[in-house]
């Protein structure tokens, strides 16, 4: 009797005489070489890397690199599909089933990836890694072949979809040209934006100047209107002043005419009075007039009048004696008359 113990990461199917007598992870038991055998199937997930080339619909080759994670889903189906028999003494596989199983999974992945890449253009295929991985993962989980093998896909990822070196260089050149064109377009847009901004600034400046000139025009028009109103008021005041002066001068003229008329009337009255007096005097004799004139005369005046009469008849006078007292009285009378 020999004792064997398997790892917990291995699902063991124990056969005795060709019949399944026990199964489960990490079994341990005694056995006889003559009638005992076992299949050990890994329980843990297995990661398988892949890389292959595919053709796009525009006849460009791309390399697809990724990883698929799979594990045993139905251990009995998997044991029936591939030989997982182990040597109970060494616990080594009598054949090597894992590489074969990984190859089947990778071939199935390649078929599914090819079916999608073949419908895409080069640029689409280079950008579809995430959506392609999700589509292939869904198809793997429901694929009949994997279910028949007893496998379950736990994960699928596409790490890179790359074009050939020549194509990559061509794409880089095209992309570089696009980038340069975008840079030129951005430069032109910046220049156009700068020109447009400058135009707006100049337009705003011109609009500001127009507004300022319009305000100045309004101010000038207001000043002109104000000056015109002032001139009109001044003209009105001057007209009122002239009218007042005209009215005053008219009143003065009326006053002067009235004064002249009054003066004329007074002169006419005075002339009439004098004419009446003179007419009355004219009717008197000269002796009476002389006598009337002498009524109010001073003694000196009478003596002077006597001298005047003597002077008129001087040729008839032979000798005339005038005393100093008489002359003194005459001079005194003339002095008093002069003072009056």
């Amino acid at each position: 009797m020999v004792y064997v113990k398997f790892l917990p990461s291995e699902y063991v199917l124990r056969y005795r005489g060709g019949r399944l007598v026990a199964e489960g992870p990490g079994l341990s038991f005694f056995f006889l070489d003559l009638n005992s055998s076992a299949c050990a199937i890994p329980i843990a997930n297995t990661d398988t890397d892949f890389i292959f080339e595919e053709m796009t619909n525009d006849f460009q080759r791309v390399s697809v690199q990724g990883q698929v994670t799979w594990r045993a889903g139905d251990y009995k189906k998997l044991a029936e599909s591939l030989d997982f028999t182990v040597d109970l003494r060494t616990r080594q596989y009598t054949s090597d089933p894992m590489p074969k199983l990984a190859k089947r999974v990778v071939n199935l992945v390649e078929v599914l990836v090819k079916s999608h890449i073949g419908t895409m253009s080069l640029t689409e295929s280079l950008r579809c890694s995430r959506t392609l991985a999700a589509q292939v993962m869904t198809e793997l989980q429901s694929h009949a072949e994997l279910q028949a093998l007893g496998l379950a896909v736990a994960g699928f990822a596409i790490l890179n979809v790359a074009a050939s070196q020549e194509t990559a260089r061509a794409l880089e050149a095209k992309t570089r040209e696009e980038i340069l064109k975008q840079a030129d377009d951005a430069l032109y847009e910046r220049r156009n934006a700068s020109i447009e901004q400058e135009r707006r600034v100049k337009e705003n400046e011109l609009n500001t100047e127009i507004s300022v000139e319009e305000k100045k025009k309004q101010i000038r028009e207001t000043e002109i209107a104000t000056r015109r109103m002032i001139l009109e008021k001044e003209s009105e005041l001057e007209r009122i002043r002239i009218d007042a002066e005209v009215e005053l001068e008219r009143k003065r003229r009326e006053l002067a005419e009235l004064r002249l008329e009054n003066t004329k009337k007074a002169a006419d009255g005075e002339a009439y009075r004098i004419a009446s007096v003179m007419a009355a005097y004219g009717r008197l004799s000269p002796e009476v007039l002389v006598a009337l004139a002498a009524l109010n005369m001073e003694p000196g005046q009478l003596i002077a009048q006597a001298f005047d009469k003597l002077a008129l008849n001087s040729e008839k006078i032979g000798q005339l004696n005038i005393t100093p007292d008489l002359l003194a009285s005459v001079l005194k009378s003339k002095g008093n008359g002069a003072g009056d």
Side-chain angles (χ1 to χ4, degrees):
M1 297 287 290
V2 180
Y3 179 78
V4 63
K5 181 179 181 180
F6 288 90
L7 297 175
S9 61
E10 295 174 323
Y11 192 91
V12 180
L13 300 173
R14 181 184 176 188
Y15 296 91
R16 183 185 298 121
R19 291 184 298 105
L20 181 63
V21 296
E23 62 178 306
L27 294 181
S28 60
F29 52 87
F30 289 94
F31 67 92
L32 292 175
D33 291 335
L34 295 176
N35 61 353
S36 297
S37 63
C39 293
I41 302 171
I43 296 176
N45 292 337
T46 302
D47 295 328
T48 303
D49 298 329
F50 61 86
I51 182 170
F52 43 79
E53 289 187 353
E54 297 297 340
M55 186 78 72
T56 62
N57 62 356
D58 51 0
F59 306 103
Q60 299 296 322
R61 288 191 173 275
V62 293
S63 61
V64 182
Q65 180 181 359
Q67 185 182 74
V68 57
T69 301
W70 53 274
R71 60 180 177 81
D74 189 333
Y75 300 103
K76 291 181 180 180
K77 284 185 179 181
L78 191 56
E80 292 172 358
S81 300
L82 290 176
D83 185 9
F84 282 88
T85 303
V86 296
D87 187 347
L88 294 176
R89 290 183 176 274
T90 60
R91 289 193 302 110
Q92 299 294 324
Y93 289 111
T94 57
S95 63
D96 196 1
M98 296 302 292
K100 296 178 182 179
L101 192 59
K103 181 62 175 176
R104 287 189 180 183
V105 173
V106 170
N107 289 340
L108 180 59
V109 168
E110 184 174 1
V111 170
L112 294 177
V113 170
K114 183 177 182 178
S115 66
H116 290 283
I117 294 294
T119 62
M120 300 179 184
S121 64
L122 176 61
T123 55
E124 291 174 346
S125 64
L126 295 177
R127 299 173 181 173
C128 71
S129 58
R130 180 176 296 180
T131 56
L132 179 60
Q135 292 173 354
V136 174
M137 177 66 181
T138 301
E139 293 175 356
L140 287 174
Q141 287 177 341
S142 60
H143 202 279
E145 184 176 350
L146 291 180
Q147 293 177 356
L149 287 174
L151 293 178
V153 176
F156 180 81
I158 294 179
L159 304 179
N160 185 29
V161 178
S164 62
Q165 293 183 355
E166 295 80 3
T167 305
R169 283 194 293 269
L171 290 175
E172 289 175 0
K174 181 179 179 181
T175 304
R176 187 181 302 109
E177 292 298 327
E178 288 292 333
I179 293 173
L180 293 176
K181 183 178 180 299
Q182 292 176 3
D184 293 339
D185 292 341
L187 179 60
Y188 296 149
E189 289 179 0
R190 284 197 299 272
R191 291 181 61 185
N192 289 333
S194 176
I195 293 171
E196 180 66 18
Q197 189 68 22
E198 185 176 358
R199 184 189 65 79
R200 290 180 181 177
V201 170
K202 289 185 178 297
E203 184 176 355
N204 291 334
E205 290 178 351
L206 291 176
N207 290 333
T208 302
E209 292 179 0
I210 292 173
S211 300
V212 171
E213 292 298 327
E214 186 67 24
K215 292 295 182 182
K216 289 181 178 180
K217 179 181 177 182
Q218 293 178 0
I219 292 172
R220 288 195 297 269
E221 290 178 352
T222 304
E223 290 177 350
I224 292 172
T226 304
R227 287 199 298 270
R228 183 174 63 187
M229 292 177 60
I230 293 172
L231 290 175
E232 289 177 355
K233 294 295 182 181
E234 290 179 350
S235 298
E236 183 68 19
L237 292 175
E238 183 66 17
R239 186 183 63 79
I240 294 173
R241 187 184 64 80
I242 292 173
D243 291 342
E245 289 183 356
V246 169
E247 182 66 20
L248 181 60
E249 291 297 329
R250 188 177 64 79
K251 296 292 184 181
R252 287 177 178 175
R253 185 183 65 185
E254 292 178 356
L255 179 60
E257 291 177 353
L258 183 59
R259 284 179 177 176
L260 179 60
E261 184 179 356
N262 292 333
T263 302
K264 285 181 179 180
K265 288 181 180 181
D268 291 341
E270 183 66 20
Y272 179 76
R273 186 185 65 81
I274 293 172
S276 298
V277 172
M278 293 303 295
Y281 284 155
R283 290 193 295 269
L284 296 177
S285 61
E287 291 80 8
V288 175
L289 292 175
V290 172
L292 289 175
L295 290 177
N296 294 324
M297 288 185 180
E298 296 293 331
Q301 291 178 344
L302 293 175
I303 294 172
Q305 186 176 5
F307 283 155
D308 288 335
K309 290 181 179 182
L310 289 175
L312 291 174
N313 299 311
S314 59
E315 71 276 0
K316 297 178 180 183
I317 298 173
Q319 184 177 0
L320 179 62
N321 294 322
I322 299 173
T323 63
D325 295 333
L326 180 60
L327 291 175
S329 62
V330 173
L331 292 174
K332 183 178 180 181
S333 176
K334 287 185 177 182
N336 291 332
D340 294 339

